[in-house]
Amino acid sequence: MRLTTALFLTLFLTMSAATAQEADSSLTVDSTFIAPPDVTPVMVKNLSARDNPNDAGGSILIKWDLSVDDIEGGKVTHYQILRAETSEGEFEEVGEVPSGNSQFIDNRADRGREFYYKVAAVNQRKQEGKLLWQVRSESALSGPVKSTAQWFDMRRLNVFVGMIILCGLIIIYINRAKSGKPIFIRKIAGLDAVEEAVGRATEMGKKIFFIPGISDMDNVQTLAGITILGKVAQMAAEYETWIEVPVSRSLVMVAAKEIVKEAYVKAGRPDAFHEDQVHYLTDDQFGYAAAIDGMFIREKPATVFFLGNFYAESLILAETGNSIGAIQIAGTGQQTQLPFFVAACDYTLIGEELFAASAYLSREPKLLGSLKGQDMGKAIILLALLAGIILESFNIFQLSQFFSVIE
Amino acid sequence: MEIFGTWLAAFFTLGIISFLYRDNAWYKLCESIFVGISAGYWFVTLFWDNIHGLFWERITERHDYWLLIGASLGLMMLLRLIPPIGWISRWPLSFVVGATAGLYIINYFASNVMVQVENTLMPLFSAKFGDPLFSASPYSIVGNIVVAAGTFTGLVYFFFSKEHKGAFGGMAKIGIWTIMITFGASFGYTVMSRMSLLIGRMDFIFGDWLGLIR
């Protein structure tokens, strides 16, 4: 009897030790604890691994049917997702999800490389953050699978349709403007003041400063800002007034130099252009602000333009410009900085007014047509807002679902 | 060494703050050092992040030879230093401007148009679509109406091809008022956050440097 008991005890301890060896190698299992019997969960079934659709590659979608032990108070605490490059290869954990979840996206699957997957249903017990025991059962293998890139993200079809409508409207109105049909543009006070501001600097015999913000050429506000710079520089060249453009990005410096140079050529004054009119200061936000503040105080420009993308330096710059009595015209799309410009500058181009400026100042049919096309896009949005709010308020139809964008 | 660093930081902090009084030699010194050091720092950072990290390492370790196209565009940019062929530098510039506009138009359209419209399209009198009519609290109903009317009239203000006259002009006026009220709230909020920056500097001066605050 004693011998039988001893044999059973030895067998039980051997099995328990073998089960404990399967524990997650990343966690230290307290060797004084062993998993009790009948705690190993049933493995998951119907494991599938396929390329995650609608992406640029690099991710695999893994799905499975929950373990039958994945119930409340059941034997599954979480699932481990295991990956290998060959079916016989060593499987390593690439992620885990809590019980109740039946899918995982492996975002670290190199595009074009084949992988094999397994999912382990895990049952573990912790006490005060220390792992006491852990058992798991691995599923059958799924694979090989490799991630590929798709040309189209079909979940964003609504964005595509919206873009087609908007671009279509812009093209239609550009063609209409080119055919000679007049396009009305309402008065924008900030832009009407540009000539007055340049003229003031001329009368006072002082400089004009143009600050294109602290962003690089990959920011549309910077693009809008330096487009306006062309018009301002041309006026300055015609009036023979010095315009200075301190910048904080090397690419902006190159673009601004080209634009100012071209403006001087257009004004018939290529000889008046100096390379150092557009100069680099520093990429650092507050270093740039400190340098411009110093220049404002020492050179006391009559006119300052702040047109581009600004952050916390906006008020520092605008307040200094205000303190020296310069006429200031600002414009940005940064809604957190606009209040400061409104408070400290004479004129402020709010958001889209900045983007409309080039059309407004140049009156070129192509740009005016584009502006009109955008307005028509806004009209469609206004109608959608009106109709959608009424329909949703009275539970008739949920129009907002068509505008939902999946990131 | 730490004490020296604290004293140096205090020297520069006070030098920059001295601009509040007037432009002076101390400020000029701090400004010049700040601009010079930051320009140098950014040069080194950009070199190691971009030229070494994003270009050289990827070429040598991952053999990602597509990057050579970008590198050649970068080299073209430097050709402006050679006046006879300086015009070539316009090509990479055109590429950057064009590619930027193309790439960002989708993101801007998605986030500034689609998401905004989706968030504005909401039932005025209930918490969500399908809930019984007038099931939302009076405060929520007023809030919903303000958001819907504010967005609608705000958008009317940004109509450029129609004169702001009559009812349209009235709506545009409500729109700009809404925008200005929003700016007022934003102004207060941002000033409050800037105060914390000032407090941080004062904490450094009176705490770390002078030791008056423990």
Side-chain angles (χ1 to χ4, degrees):
Chain A
M1 184 65 189
R2 277 184 186 171
L3 183 68
T4 317
T5 311
L7 275 169
F8 265 109
L9 194 62
T10 313
L11 186 66
F12 175 69
L13 287 173
T14 313
M15 283 174 69
S16 301
T19 316
Q21 270 180 1
E22 288 178 8
D24 186 348
S25 59
S26 63
L27 290 162
T28 312
V29 184
D30 192 328
S31 57
T32 55
F33 292 92
I34 49 172
D38 300 329
V39 289
T40 307
V42 173
M43 67 181 181
V44 304
K45 285 181 180 164
N46 298 327
L47 176 70
S48 71
R50 63 187 176 95
D51 174 39
N52 192 32
N54 299 311
D55 68 2
S59 64
I60 303 280
L61 175 65
I62 302 122
K63 284 185 171 183
W64 60 89
D65 288 347
L66 294 178
S67 160
V68 290
D69 286 328
D70 189 353
I71 50 173
E72 195 162 340
K75 295 179 192 171
V76 179
T77 51
H78 64 276
Y79 295 102
Q80 284 175 348
I81 293 82
L82 310 166
R83 188 180 79 180
E85 291 189 30
T86 58
S87 56
E88 290 85 26
E90 193 178 330
F91 279 79
E92 59 173 23
E93 186 183 332
V94 287
E96 60 179 49
V97 291
S99 57
N101 289 282
S102 59
Q103 75 167 45
F104 175 79
I105 296 173
D106 178 11
N107 287 316
R108 287 178 294 174
D110 289 344
R111 197 164 55 194
R113 258 168 86 180
E114 286 189 341
F115 293 105
Y116 292 83
Y117 287 90
K118 281 182 188 176
V119 170
V122 183
N123 189 6
Q124 69 176 28
R125 174 65 56 87
K126 279 183 178 176
Q127 196 174 55
E128 293 169 357
K130 201 160 88 178
L131 185 63
L132 301 182
W133 52 261
Q134 176 178 283
V135 287
R136 65 186 194 178
S137 52
E138 290 179 1
S139 69
L141 195 73
S142 179
V145 60
K146 62 182 174 186
S147 70
T148 53
Q150 281 76 51
W151 282 97
F152 295 102
D153 183 349
M154 297 309 286
R155 297 168 305 168
R156 291 168 69 108
L157 191 66
N158 54 354
V159 178
F160 178 70
V161 172
M163 283 303 306
I164 292 288
I165 293 171
L166 184 65
C167 292
L169 285 168
I170 290 172
I171 292 167
I172 289 168
Y173 280 96
I174 285 176
N175 285 333
R176 282 182 73 167
K178 276 182 176 172
S179 69
K181 285 193 177 148
I183 288 180
F184 171 81
I185 299 291
R186 74 165 167 86
K187 204 171 148 63
I188 301 174
L191 295 173
D192 283 341
V194 168
E195 191 157 5
E196 177 200 332
V198 176
R200 183 175 183 261
T202 310
E203 282 168 13
M204 294 174 76
K206 289 183 173 179
K207 282 184 179 180
I208 297 168
F209 268 84
F210 191 102
I211 316 296
I214 61 161
S215 288
D216 216 327
M217 291 300 290
D218 61 353
N219 189 292
V220 283
Q221 294 172 65
T222 313
L223 290 179
I226 61 165
T227 310
I228 303 168
L229 169 64
K231 308 294 166 199
V232 176
Q234 194 177 333
M235 278 183 213
E238 284 163 1
Y239 292 173
E240 296 181 21
T241 304
W242 183 270
I243 181 166
E244 193 160 331
V245 189
V247 299
S248 73
R249 294 283 186 271
S250 52
L251 265 183
V252 178
M253 184 186 76
V254 175
K257 256 188 191 166
E258 290 293 335
I259 280 173
V260 174
K261 198 174 182 178
E262 197 178 308
Y264 273 72
V265 172
K266 272 188 190 168
R269 297 293 317 279
D271 54 305
F273 173 72
H274 293 264
E275 287 278 334
D276 55 356
Q277 277 182 272
V278 182
H279 57 91
Y280 171 81
L281 290 170
T282 169
D283 275 61
D284 187 82
Q285 180 187 16
F286 291 108
Y288 182 62
I292 291 175
D293 273 359
M295 287 156 76
F296 280 1
I297 291 290
R298 279 157 227 149
E299 300 180 28
K300 296 205 168 23
T303 302
V304 179
F305 291 93
F306 300 108
L307 299 169
N309 191 27
F310 293 85
Y311 292 98
E313 73 288 353
S314 66
L315 186 61
I316 301 170
L317 298 174
E319 266 302 314
T320 311
N322 189 289
S323 72
I324 56 164
I327 183 168
Q328 301 195 105
I329 298 176
T332 184
Q334 283 291 345
Q335 49 196 9
T336 49
Q337 307 310 320
L338 275 165
F340 298 124
F341 281 145
V342 170
C345 296
D346 299 275
Y347 299 96
T348 307
L349 301 175
I350 301 166
E352 215 180 321
E353 288 178 338
L354 174 69
F355 305 114
S358 53
Y360 190 90
L361 291 172
S362 67
R363 301 277 159 180
E364 274 181 42
K366 208 160 55 177
L367 295 175
L368 290 175
S370 162
L371 200 59
K372 178 77 180 175
Q374 288 172 51
D375 270 7
M376 288 300 109
K378 282 178 222 160
I380 292 173
I381 289 166
L382 282 175
L383 286 175
L385 282 178
L386 204 61
I389 288 171
I390 292 169
L391 291 173
E392 295 217 4
S393 293
F394 295 98
N395 288 335
I396 300 167
F397 182 71
Q398 194 176 13
L399 194 67
S400 58
Q401 61 186 311
F402 293 129
F403 293 91
S404 179
V405 178
I406 293 160
E407 295 297 333
Chain B
M1 197 64 193
E2 199 180 317
I3 293 171
F4 175 72
T6 307
W7 274 82
L8 204 60
F11 173 81
F12 285 115
T13 300
L14 293 175
I16 293 291
I17 290 175
S18 73
F19 187 71
L20 291 172
Y21 165 60
R22 57 182 291 186
D23 191 28
N24 59 73
W26 190 7
Y27 176 77
K28 279 180 195 168
L29 176 75
C30 295
E31 176 203 319
S32 302
I33 292 172
F34 189 8
V35 173
I37 286 180
S38 62
Y41 171 80
W42 278 104
F43 178 83
V44 173
T45 304
L46 292 175
F47 174 82
W48 286 106
D49 285 355
N50 295 341
I51 295 176
H52 187 264
L54 293 177
F55 174 69
W56 184 248
E57 278 187 359
R58 288 190 187 192
I59 287 278
T60 53
E61 289 170 19
R62 296 195 208 168
H63 308 289
D64 193 354
Y65 296 114
W66 288 102
L67 292 172
L68 289 171
I69 298 173
S72 58
L73 286 171
L75 284 175
M76 280 185 200
M77 193 76 88
L78 294 176
L79 291 180
R80 64 182 296 109
L81 298 171
I82 309 167
I85 51 168
W87 51 272
I88 295 176
S89 69
R90 289 183 175 196
W91 292 355
L93 202 59
S94 310
F95 176 82
V96 169
V97 173
T100 298
L103 280 171
Y104 281 80
I105 192 170
I106 304 294
N107 286 341
Y108 276 92
F109 185 77
S111 60
N112 291 3
V113 179
M114 303 291 279
V115 175
Q116 295 272 9
V117 173
E118 187 198 2
N119 291 339
T120 312
L121 286 179
M122 56 188 174
L124 294 179
F125 314 112
S126 53
K128 63 177 194 294
F129 180 76
D131 284 0
L133 211 59
F134 299 108
S135 59
S137 69
Y139 295 113
S140 299
I141 292 173
V142 172
N144 292 345
I145 291 170
V146 168
V147 168
T151 308
F152 191 88
T153 54
L155 203 52
V156 167
Y157 173 77
F158 288 107
F159 248 79
F160 298 109
S161 57
K162 188 167 168 53
E163 198 154 9
H164 289 176
K165 272 185 177 173
F168 193 79
M171 278 197 284
K173 198 162 266 182
I174 295 171
I176 192 66
W177 270 94
T178 311
I179 291 167
M180 287 300 159
I181 290 167
T182 315
F183 283 172
S186 175
F187 188 99
Y189 179 77
T190 315
V191 166
M192 213 164 66
S193 64
R194 298 288 159 78
M195 281 297 169
S196 68
L197 292 177
L198 179 68
I199 291 167
R201 279 290 85 188
M202 290 301 118
D203 188 51
F204 167 75
I205 295 284
F206 294 107
D208 297 355
W209 183 46
L210 296 175
L212 297 175
I213 306 170
R214 296 282 172 200

